Amino acid sequence: MSNRFKHISLTIIRYLLNTITGTVVLFMSLWMSGPGIAETDEPTYRLYFMLGFVLWAIGAFLQIKPSMRKVGVILTLIPFLFWVVFMAMAVYS
């Protein structure tokens, strides 16, 4: 496998990873930070659930610089894995 083909395939995998994890993290963060179901008339927004998306966005921006690419991938995976484990615990408990 040539070095150029390896670089292109890793770039495509990284873009797919960012797209899938970003979609899941954004959807779950928006869903959990919403008002939810309450018995009062005033909606309660929990903006601290958006911190996962902020962490994902920082990781995505760090991937632009080649020297910080590995750190960026790890930072994008942390909130994604949090939501996956959170949903798995909710389903299987």
Side-chain angles (χ1 to χ4, degrees):
M1 182 183 309
S2 69
N3 194 19
R4 181 176 168 93
F5 180 72
K6 182 179 176 183
H7 175 70
I8 291 172
S9 62
L10 287 177
T11 303
I12 291 172
I13 290 171
R14 191 169 38 91
Y15 286 149
L16 283 173
L17 178 75
N18 284 338
T19 303
I20 293 168
T21 59
T23 304
V24 170
V25 169
L26 179 63
F27 174 73
M28 293 300 294
S29 297
L30 288 172
W31 181 38
M32 292 300 289
S33 67
I37 300 172
E39 294 184 13
T40 62
D41 292 333
E42 292 186 33
T44 307
Y45 290 96
R46 299 171 304 272
L47 294 178
Y48 50 84
F49 278 109
M50 291 304 290
L51 290 175
F53 182 73
V54 170
L55 181 65
W56 179 88
I58 291 170
F61 283 121
L62 284 177
Q63 291 181 30
I64 294 172
K65 190 173 181 181
S67 64
M68 297 297 290
R69 195 160 284 158
K70 290 181 184 178
V71 175
V73 169
I74 291 170
L75 284 180
T76 56
L77 285 176
I78 289 172
F80 175 73
L81 292 175
F82 170 77
W83 287 119
V84 168
V85 170
F86 186 74
M87 286 293 129
M89 289 174 57
V91 169
Y92 292 115
S93 64

